[in-house]
């Protein structure tokens, strides 16, 4: 990134499997894990922390408070089930409202199926910095093996629809390939030229 207008994100996942509804780790260990991991990422030159696939509200609170207390810029990207609830049971709208008090760079949703995200997208104004990178798999998050289920061209069509509400970032997640990234890049390049 040196000498370029590039920002490096340090990826901070959940302390346990992001798809795990019932955790086995104590809250103390979860706190210690995030504190140390975020500190290491910042010490290693990250410009901000991308907390991704976060599916438990208590963990989101720990991360948000730590970043805010230590003036660490962060993005929070949430994972929900088909009913737009975190695996800990809270509605996505409740969690997003909570996050506003911590002034994140952006709030996102990642690794959910496009149909699930579109339920939220279609009823929300998204009047804040937001973004998404969706699951392109053929099944859902409970599947042991994930294979591509959405072609790069079809996924680019979904991203094109999402651009109407001006996301801060877009990408693709599980089940995607480099071809999906190229399709998104081609779409964005065309939008810039036009």
């Amino acid at each position: 990134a040196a000498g370029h207008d590039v920002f490096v994100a340090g990826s901070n996942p959940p302390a346990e499997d992001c798809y795990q509804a019932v955790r086995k780790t104590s809250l103390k260990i979860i706190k210690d894990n995030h504190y140390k991991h975020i500190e290491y990422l910042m010490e290693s030159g990250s410009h901000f922390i991308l907390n991704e696939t976060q599916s438990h509200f208590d963990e989101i609170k720990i991360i948000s408070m730590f970043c805010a207390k230590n003036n660490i810029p962060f993005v929070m990207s949430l994972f929900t089930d088909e009913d737009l609830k975190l695996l800990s049971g809270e509605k996505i709208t409740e969690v997003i409202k909570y996050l506003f008090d911590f002034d994140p760079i952006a709030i996102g949703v990642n690794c959910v199926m496009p149909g699930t995200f579109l339920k939220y997208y279609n009823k929300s104004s998204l009047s804040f910095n937001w973004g998404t990178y969706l699951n392109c798999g053929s099944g859902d998050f409970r599947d042991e093996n994930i294979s591509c289920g959405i072609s790069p061209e079809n996924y680019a069509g979904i991203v094109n629809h999402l651009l109407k509400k001006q996301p801060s970032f877009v990408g693709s997640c599980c089940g995607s390939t480099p071809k999906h990234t190229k399709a998104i890049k081609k779409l964005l390049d065309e939008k810039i030229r036009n």
Side-chain angles (χ1 to χ4, degrees), residues 16 33 38 48 80 84 139 158:
E16 292 189 307
N33 174 81
I38 291 169
F48 67 96
T80 72
L84 297 173
I158 293 166

Side-chain angles (χ1 to χ4, degrees), residues 39-98:
E39 285 173 348
Y40 290 154
L41 289 168
M42 294 306 290
E43 287 169 7
S44 298
S46 298
H47 293 103
F48 67 96
I49 303 297
L50 172 56
N51 301 287
E52 54 186 337
T53 328
Q54 298 294 331
S55 58
H56 287 269
F57 200 13
D58 56 358
E59 202 162 355
I60 290 165
K61 290 177 180 178
I62 289 166
I63 294 165
S64 301
M65 285 186 234
F66 182 76
C67 288
K69 180 181 174 186
N70 293 286
N71 296 314
I72 297 171
F74 73 99
V75 171
M76 187 68 71
S77 192
L78 310 171
F79 175 78
T80 72
D81 64 13
E82 298 87 349
D83 297 320
L84 297 173
K85 291 182 179 178
L86 299 184
L87 297 185
S88 55
E90 297 80 10
K91 293 179 184 176
I92 189 174
T93 50
E94 180 183 329
V95 178
I96 289 172
K97 185 177 178 183
Y98 169 84

